[in-house]
DNA sequence: GTAAACCTGTACCTTTTGTTACAGGTCAGA
DNA sequence: TCTGACCTGTAACAAAAGGTACAGGTTTAC
């Protein structure tokens, strides 16, 4: 099955004209691990739809960074979506975490289609809503929870998403996801290990 | 000018059919100060468009709360917008801060129109984008800045929005906007007063 | 097989933020 | 004018989070 067909199926796209439009204007591209898809302060020219692989989206300061979300198949980075509706610079970074295949669509079509094709309208709207609610949850989490809880939450949701009880991340990586520092993560994890909640290995954390 | 016409002007709505639809299905309502427009965990049945007045939107925990944003004329609470696309319970609270006139639109029309009418599509999309970016800024702010800076930022943007150098809020109210406690706000403000950045009065802070 | 790069653990200290407790000020309404 | 509700200031303390420093483990690439 072609990448395009995968996309059409996943988004429940039935309109033949939309299919044609996407196939005519979209570009299939496979990018290696650790490539930037979107870079802070740069203009967004394409909407990237992830077909396979994984993309990490985050914000950064001088010395810290914080995860916003991951883009999995078949999703799009809602921020490039938003940029498509008014030409603007990116306020986030997005980088592949593994080899990733995307379909790139020039931004100017994205809003045009949202009025022209019902399924595209549904897709963009739905993406916005989901992303907004995700961000809202993150915001609430950040505002009200201490890092020990945020860390455990992160580990659990990571485990759930990957359908495995072990998390293959270094303390440093975890710190960056949560916007804190390595030492803090090490300390908390050690606490959790002493409480019998996790088991620590090299670059791996096992949830018990 | 009627409330409806105010709305049509502000949103640049030209389609006569859309105007008719809005007038037929919308309900103009003036609600007193401190009324709930949306309540956490309750179903959202209407999309409220603020015509005049001001609505505060926030999230809360057991003992804390944090401001999300204010809805001013002519805007809508993007969360009720998102709720309209899939029947769901509210995850936020919204309350009038002064007497407020709204136009309520039953949720089922909102998504329908976004495909039917170009200007409505533009309006909903635009609302989403703006709100998303606002929230993203808040998130970054919360993640990377200490409360003293967040407080000062808040005061300055408040002053700017109200076009006045004095902020008529108690320390307690400020604490709730920022998700912290009254004592912390008092201490920081006193620091700023000693540094000559603000002047403190009863229920009023003047930016110098 | 070895160096360089990265990972983990931990002790100690500092800064930031929150808590408790209390004293006194301001204001609106009875 | 008195009262109760709310506001402000502040000290002393506690908890949370971050920073510094260092010791030693693991992995990868040459």
């Amino acid at each position: 099955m072609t990448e395009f067909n995968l996309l059409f199926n996943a988004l429940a796209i039935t309109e033949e004209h939309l299919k044609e439009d996407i196939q005519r204007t979209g570009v299939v591209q496979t990018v290696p691990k650790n490539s930037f898809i979107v870079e802070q302060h740069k203009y967004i020219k394409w909407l990237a739809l992830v077909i396979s692989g994984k993309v990490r989206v985050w914000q950064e300061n001088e010395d810290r960074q914080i995860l916003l979300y991951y883009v999995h198949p078949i999703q799009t980075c809602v921020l490039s979506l938003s940029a498509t509706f008014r030409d603007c610079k990116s306020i986030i970074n997005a980088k592949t975490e593994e080899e990733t295949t995307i379909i790139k669509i020039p931004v100017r079509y994205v809003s045009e289609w949202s009025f022209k094709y019902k399924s595209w309208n549904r897709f963009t709207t739905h993406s916005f809503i989901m992303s907004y609610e995700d961000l809202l949850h993150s915001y609430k989490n950040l505002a009200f929870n201490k890092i020990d809880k945020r860390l455990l939450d992160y580990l659990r949701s990571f485990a759930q998403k990957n359908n495995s009880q072990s998390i293959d991340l270094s303390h440093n990586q975890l710190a960056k996801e949560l916007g804190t520092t390595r030492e803090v993560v090490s300390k908390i994890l050690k606490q959790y290990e002493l409480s019998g909640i996790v088991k620590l290995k090299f670059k791996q954390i096992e949830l018990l």
Side-chain angles (χ1 to χ4, degrees), chain A residues 16-145:
Chain A
E16 286 305 321
H17 286 303
L18 175 55
K19 286 186 184 178
E20 282 165 28
D21 275 353
I22 291 176
Q23 276 170 323
R24 198 183 55 246
T25 59
V27 176
V28 179
Q29 192 177 9
T30 297
V31 283
K33 194 173 164 172
N34 292 326
S35 317
F36 274 99
I37 301 287
V38 175
E39 221 167 327
Q40 210 157 3
H41 309 308
K42 296 203 175 169
Y43 278 100
I44 297 176
K45 299 211 171 73
W46 303 84
L47 174 73
L49 295 151
V50 174
I51 305 300
S52 69
K54 192 165 86 169
V55 177
R56 177 173 192 264
V57 179
W58 77 96
Q59 271 193 314
E60 62 185 34
N61 226 12
E62 305 85 49
D63 55 341
R64 294 275 179 90
Q65 50 175 255
I66 192 161
L67 174 71
L68 288 172
Y69 51 86
Y70 285 95
V71 189
H72 297 275
I74 291 198
Q75 288 181 343
T76 180
C77 165
V78 79
L79 275 156
S80 44
L81 197 54
S82 103
T84 61
F85 286 89
R86 49 184 200 86
D87 237 20
C88 73
K89 288 182 187 172
S90 174
I91 46 176
I92 49 95
N93 296 284
K95 199 182 204 176
T96 55
E97 288 232 318
E98 43 192 80
E99 188 179 271
T100 298
T101 299
I102 58 174
I103 295 179
K104 298 197 303 184
I105 295 173
V107 295
R108 64 203 166 99
Y109 297 116
V110 178
S111 54
E112 198 182 306
W113 293 347
S114 115
F115 190 67
K116 206 162 153 195
Y117 302 113
K118 202 146 199 164
S119 59
W120 189 258
N121 182 293
R122 191 169 27 233
F123 165 61
T124 53
T125 305
H126 190 259
S127 295
F128 264 128
I129 293 172
M130 288 305 157
S131 304
Y132 196 89
E133 293 188 357
D134 279 357
L135 184 55
L136 205 59
H137 275 118
S138 303
Y139 189 68
K140 188 172 178 178
N141 193 17
L142 188 56
F144 297 131
N145 294 329

Side-chain angles (χ1 to χ4, degrees), chain A residues 145-172:
Chain A
N145 294 329
K146 311 217 152 83
I147 24 169
D148 55 350
K149 180 162 181 351
R150 289 202 290 127
L151 175 56
L152 191 55
D153 286 352
Y154 182 85
L155 293 175
R156 287 192 171 141
S157 78
F158 188 98
Q160 195 179 12
K161 240 182 290 180
N162 293 53
N163 213 11
S164 149
Q165 286 309 97
S166 65
I167 295 107
D168 292 0
L169 292 173
S170 73
H171 299 182
N172 211 349

